Amino acid sequence: MERTNFIDYIRIFARSGHGGAGSRHFMRNKLTALGGPDGGDGGRGGHIILRGNAQLWTLLHLRYYKNVLAENGEGGSKNNCTGRDGEDIIIEVPLGTITRDEETGEVEAEILEDGQEVVWMPGGRGGLGNSNFATPTNQAPDHAQPGEEGVEGWKTLELKVLADVGLVGFPNAGKSTLLSSITAARPKVADYAFTTLTPQLGMVEYRDGKSFCIADLPGIIEGAAEGKGLGHRFLRHIERNSALLFLIPADSADHKKEFDILLSELEQYNPELLQKDFLIAISKSDMLDDELKEAIAAELPADVPHLFISSVTNQGLVILKDELWKILNK
């Protein structure tokens, strides 16, 4: 059964803990009738911490956690006793996760390494007790600080797939077939548009035990940057790729136009994507003879390298791996 529960965007309400109030207290016992101030400090509110976990691939485990509320710090008490800190909440997320404030759109945290921890929303500082304010001229201060409030708001967690190479192409360009041919990944392959509904990752084994990661992203159509089709939702994943492999089928009516449309959608979404390294692969080339290959090559832009491949007959796949390795390690 095909797994379709890839979750790459989560919206939650989060609040870090409030700091505990400082204590306003004076020492009073059977031996000391008028002791000095001994109010303790309040405890820190609980942090909300993000931790990278290389074993996670989606944000599915956060799907039903709409409210993440950290514990408040306890107030200080007599005898200069500090209140207990609020318990921290640790949220484990897959590598490639970024968090944003929903209102401002500002990026607040980014997780790229396994085990990396970021204090995403710090808890409020605990207030100082009145013992901190005693001075030679004010030996009995009658005030203490309240605890600071925590941070709260609606936040978004967004996953951008980490891969060395991203496969870019129209639906039915042969991206899933190529991925299944050069990696151990087994994406669904069928003869209809939008067969791939979620990003698929695979490791390409290269020579001498070397490897690199390639991602098959859902097909982009004209208008994807404006929200048409599935491409708009997954264009964000392309931002993480070091190189982009444009897959254009040999039976396309206009190979250059197809490449230009794909390039235009990337530029509309994020102009910085045009700074990446490009490689064009003409798929399904087993149906072409030398004359047709020359005609197609003449259509393609001269400043972007290209090659002809066939995932069915394995034509050109070794050369494709070599070219991608060169691009990634130049």
Side-chain angles (χ1 to χ4, degrees), residues 128-141:
L128 298 176
N130 65 340
S131 62
N132 293 275
F133 301 102
T135 66
T137 57
N138 183 17
Q139 297 181 8

Side-chain angles (χ1 to χ4, degrees), residues 18 35 54 61 63-64 79 107 119 162 200 206 230 261 317:
H18 302 319
H61 61 295
R63 183 69 174 84
Y64 302 105
N79 294 328
V107 175
V119 178
L162 288 170
Q200 303 286 326
Y206 194 59
L230 296 175
I261 292 174
L317 296 189

Side-chain angles (χ1 to χ4, degrees), residues 132-181:
N132 293 275
F133 301 102
T135 66
T137 57
N138 183 17
Q139 297 181 8
D142 195 32
H143 66 279
Q145 287 181 338
E148 292 183 354
E149 293 186 354
V151 183
E152 67 176 41
W154 284 97
K155 309 291 181 179
T156 58
L157 286 84
E158 184 179 306
L159 173 62
K160 296 182 180 180
V161 168
L162 288 170
D164 299 307
V165 179
L167 284 174
V168 182
F170 280 16
N172 283 356
K175 299 188 300 299
S176 296
T177 305
L178 175 62
L179 187 70
S180 64
S181 298

Side-chain angles (χ1 to χ4, degrees), residues 9-57:
Y9 187 90
I10 293 290
R11 177 178 181 264
I12 62 174
F13 179 82
R15 187 195 71 201
S16 59
H18 302 319
S23 173
R24 176 183 157 275
H25 189 271
F26 295 89
M27 182 183 292
R28 298 290 187 269
N29 55 45
K30 63 182 181 180
L31 300 177
T32 308
L34 297 172
D38 68 344
D41 302 338
R44 170 185 60 77
H47 297 321
I48 298 181
I49 299 172
L50 299 177
R51 177 190 292 163
N53 186 338
Q55 303 305 312
L56 295 175
W57 294 95

Side-chain angles (χ1 to χ4, degrees), residues 3-10 53-63 92-95 97 159 161 198-199:
R3 185 179 177 185
T4 59
N5 55 2
F6 183 89
I7 302 295
D8 63 345
Y9 187 90
I10 293 290
N53 186 338
Q55 303 305 312
L56 295 175
W57 294 95
T58 75
L59 297 173
L60 182 64
H61 61 295
L62 302 176
R63 183 69 174 84
E92 295 199 337
V93 295
L95 308 187
T97 299
L159 173 62
V161 168
T198 63

